């Protein structure tokens, strides 16, 4: 049974930082491309960042230079370091694991950026 469990969300002031984590089980983690997506109310889910099995990374345009994705294969965990947060970063953040077209999703964690 595949499980992706996100943690680290919460309320933060503009300009602040948060670090999200996604712990995976039930998959051969090192083979999977891992990603973070987000969905704000009334908007479509969008890519935030992705890291493949070779640790190559890619980012959505709105987060480049502020967010950083990393992975720890020994802990089966992917991280998203979010700096210089803006109110428009408010969304539910979802972890995604993808290998050869087979995708799994976590349940999501809420990030709210507000003063």
């Amino acid at each position: 049974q595949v499980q992706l469990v996100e943690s680290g969300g919460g309320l933060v002031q503009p300009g602040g930082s948060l670090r999200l984590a996604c712990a995976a089980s039930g998959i051969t983690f090192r083979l999977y491309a891992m990603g973070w997506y987000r969905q704000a109310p009334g908007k479509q889910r969008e890519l935030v960042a992705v890291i493949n099995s070779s640790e190559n990374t890619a980012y959505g345009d709105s987060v480049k230079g502020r967010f950083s994705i990393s992975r720890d294969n020994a802990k089966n965990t992917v991280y998203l370091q979010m700096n210089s947060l803006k109110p428009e970063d408010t969304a539910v953040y979802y972890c995604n694991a993808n290998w050869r077209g087979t995708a799994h999703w976590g349940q999501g964690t809420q990030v709210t950026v507000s003063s």
Side-chain angles (χ1 to χ4, degrees):
Q1 181 181 356
V2 178
Q3 281 193 313
L4 301 176
V5 180
E6 300 102 334
S7 61
L11 174 64
V12 63
Q13 292 187 341
S17 297
L18 279 177
R19 188 193 195 202
L20 305 184
C22 170
S25 60
I27 60 173
T28 306
F29 182 80
R30 61 181 174 80
L31 298 179
Y32 277 71
M34 300 298 298
W36 288 96
Y37 291 74
R38 67 186 182 187
Q39 188 166 19
K43 294 188 176 182
Q44 289 189 332
R45 191 172 296 190
E46 65 173 355
L47 172 71
V48 176
V50 62
I51 183 168
N52 68 11
S53 58
S54 300
E55 303 203 8
N56 298 308
T57 60
Y59 296 90
D61 287 342
S62 61
V63 306
K64 284 180 181 176
R66 299 189 297 123
F67 291 12
S68 178
I69 189 170
S70 61
R71 65 190 296 160
D72 185 338
N73 290 342
K75 295 183 178 179
N76 287 1
T77 300
V78 61
Y79 303 96
L80 184 68
Q81 178 66 44
M82 305 186 293
N83 299 327
S84 302
L85 283 160
K86 305 174 182 180
E88 51 263 45
D89 294 317
T90 296
V92 178
Y93 283 70
Y94 296 92
C95 179
N96 171 271
N98 192 298
W99 181 61
R100 295 186 177 182
T102 298
H104 306 283
W105 293 90
Q107 81 288 350
T109 186
Q110 176 70 45
V111 172
T112 301
V113 184
S114 175
S115 55

